[in-house]
Amino acid sequence: MRVYNFSAGPSMLPLPVLEKAAAEMLDYHGTGMSVAEMSHRSKPFQAIVDEAVFLLRELMGVPENYDILFVQGGASTQFEAVPLNLLKKGKADYVVTGNFANKAFKEAQKYGDIRLVASSKDKNYTYIPALSPEMFSPEADYVHITSNNTIFGTRYTAFPQTPSPLVCDMSSNILSEPVEVSRFGVIYAGAQKNIAPAGVTIVIVRKDLEEQALPICPTMLKWSTQAKENSLYNTPPCFSIYMAGLVFRWLKELGGVPEIYKINQYKAGLLYDFIDNSAFYTNAVNPADRSLMNVPFITPSAELDDKFVKEAAKSGLVSLKGHRLVGGMRASIYNAMPVEGVKALIGFMKKFELENA
Ligand SMILES: *Cc1c(COP(=O)(O)O)cnc(C)c1O
């Protein structure tokens, strides 16, 4: 039996995508083999990469002066790839709005003069700090932000104006709402939350920013290496790229990013409205900064939180335990989570409240 999987990542994939991958598993398009067994230099695989890039470009409206790269090492490897590719003058500005943002900030410090522009640590990352252009240094090579904070359940609803290129970790909300790519120098995202199985990381980079890597930047981390080789410098995570392509096609057929954004707003709205109208459940995030993808919440006690997670799992609602830094529960409701899944969760929350309040 399929469950509703609220895991923060790796997370649910759309059912039609899994069915398509299953149907193509033994014989992909008459090749007599699965994509998992195929040479990355073969024609069918080249077509898979080309189509995935084409569809992502279309879905996000990525301008022609940006490259779309499929790399490995997760978003965490981009925490070091970003400074190694961009720190020409040796300075960068970081905004720390959560655990991953802080890891990115710490990693960059190995390579240059890295300034903390703003942080929301004072209130356990429950808000996005106000950012104005004069807070940023004109001498910086770039500004780094994290658009959605997976653990704490916050998101930027507007992006700062910055004097240097804006670099954004979009791992947990890429393709969930429209973004104007031209506002960014670099966007990167591990695929395992909103796009594909773990293994592939998306990097969208403005072409002129590929030419300023530090001499010590490893060949494999250099965006220009991957750009010149169409993400095929070495063996790429072939199967994850194939699955990403299937997800992109699914999203396009659904109506693209504007349509999934409407659905995401509806799903998150149902859950936040229910929590806000309940005296039993609480979400600590500043309402204006709430994530559409990750919804942390608590009951009146840690014992009830534990009981909630266990009983929910018995009802087919799994992976609701919150991150250890926050406790309580977290419902991750990425693009692949159907409205019915959120409704089933709310139904369970009502029942649990009646039985335990
Ligand atoms: C999950 C996540 C990461 C870490 O991704 P890996 O692919 O595991 O390295 C980084 N940033 C954000 C915002 C995330 O949600």
Side-chain angles (χ1 to χ4, degrees):
M1 185 197 76
R2 294 277 299 166
V3 293
Y4 289 119
N5 174 10
F6 294 90
S7 170
S11 45
M12 273 186 87
L13 288 162
L15 187 58
V17 165
L18 293 173
E19 285 168 341
K20 176 115 178 130
E24 293 178 341
M25 183 57 87
L26 300 186
D27 181 5
Y28 176 78
H29 293 200
T31 56
M33 63 177 86
S34 79
V35 177
E37 302 165 294
M38 196 175 277
S39 164
H40 61 294
R41 307 281 174 205
S42 67
K43 265 210 176 114
F45 188 72
Q46 294 277 347
I48 287 170
V49 175
D50 291 347
E51 194 193 1
V53 169
F54 179 85
L55 286 170
L56 184 57
R57 197 177 284 285
E58 189 179 17
L59 285 167
M60 288 184 73
V62 179
E64 284 303 321
N65 62 326
Y66 287 73
D67 278 317
I68 294 177
L69 314 177
F70 295 123
V71 301
Q72 304 198 54
S76 301
T77 298
Q78 295 306 307
F79 295 169
E80 56 211 15
V82 166
L84 284 163
N85 277 279
L86 294 179
L87 274 180
K88 188 174 55 175
K89 290 177 281 182
K91 288 187 181 182
D93 285 347
Y94 275 66
V95 182
V96 172
T97 49
N99 196 46
F100 291 117
N102 194 47
K103 283 183 169 172
F105 171 58
K106 287 270 151 63
E107 199 62 37
Q109 284 167 17
K110 295 175 184 169
Y111 306 105
D113 177 6
I114 308 301
R115 202 166 61 103
L116 178 65
V117 172
S119 161
S120 52
K121 193 171 184 217
D122 58 335
K123 292 185 183 160
N124 199 29
Y125 301 120
T126 50
Y127 69 102
I128 300 293
L131 299 169
S132 50
E134 64 280 3
M135 292 166 78
F136 300 99
S137 161
E139 282 94 59
D141 287 307
Y142 65 93
V143 173
H144 184 280
I145 61 168
T146 310
S147 57
N148 184 80
N149 297 280
T150 324
I151 296 174
F152 300 93
T154 62
R155 95 183 208 274
Y156 285 74
T157 50
F159 294 109
Q161 293 290 343
T162 55
S164 60
L166 191 56
V167 175
C168 185
D169 176 358
M170 271 189 203
S171 293
S172 53
N173 72 341
I174 190 166
L175 290 172
S176 68
E177 59 182 288
V179 293
E180 205 183 315
V181 174
S182 62
R183 292 273 279 102
F184 300 87
V186 181
I187 292 169
Y188 66 91
Q192 68 273 23
K193 279 135 193 179
N194 231 354
I195 293 181
V200 65
T201 303
I202 313 282
V203 181
I204 302 171
V205 55
R206 215 176 64 207
K207 289 180 181 177
D208 61 292
L209 297 173
E210 290 166 7
E211 301 309 326
Q212 63 188 63
L214 298 184
I216 59 161
C217 182
T219 307
M220 271 294 289
L221 296 193
K222 233 185 239 180
W223 296 327
S224 60
T225 308
Q226 302 292 352
K228 277 179 205 124
E229 303 288 336
N230 283 326
S231 300
L232 295 170
Y233 171 73
N234 72 327
T235 316
C238 302
F239 198 77
S240 295
I241 293 172
Y242 156 69
M243 292 291 284
L246 294 183
V247 170
F248 297 154
R249 208 179 310 157
W250 167 80
L251 188 51
K252 180 179 168 165
E253 279 163 16
L254 200 92
V257 176
E259 189 58 31
I260 201 76
Y261 179 45
K262 276 188 223 157
I263 298 169
N264 287 333
Q265 285 174 302
Y266 178 67
K267 285 189 301 190
L270 287 177
L271 193 47
Y272 286 121
D273 281 351
F274 174 73
I275 292 170
D276 289 344
N277 288 313
S278 143
F280 187 76
Y281 299 103
T282 318
N283 165 277
V285 172
N286 180 31
D289 302 325
R290 282 170 164 177
S291 169
L292 298 178
M293 300 283 101
N294 311 97
V295 182
F297 61 95
I298 53 169
T299 70
S301 77
E303 292 71 46
L304 283 174
D305 291 347
D306 271 352
K307 190 175 174 198
F308 182 100
V309 170
K310 285 193 188 109
E311 289 188 7
K314 283 186 206 144
S315 303
L317 307 166
V318 309
S319 302
L320 279 161
K321 192 171 165 55
H323 192 277
R324 62 186 189 284
L325 293 174
V326 178
M329 279 71 68
R330 169 177 50 176
S332 294
I333 50 173
Y334 298 116
N335 288 356
M337 175 60 68
V339 172
E340 301 80 64
V342 174
K343 287 186 173 164
L345 173 61
I346 292 169
F348 175 81
M349 289 168 81
K350 283 182 188 159
K351 176 170 155 284
F352 188 83
E353 178 176 352
L354 275 177
E355 289 167 1
N356 293 281

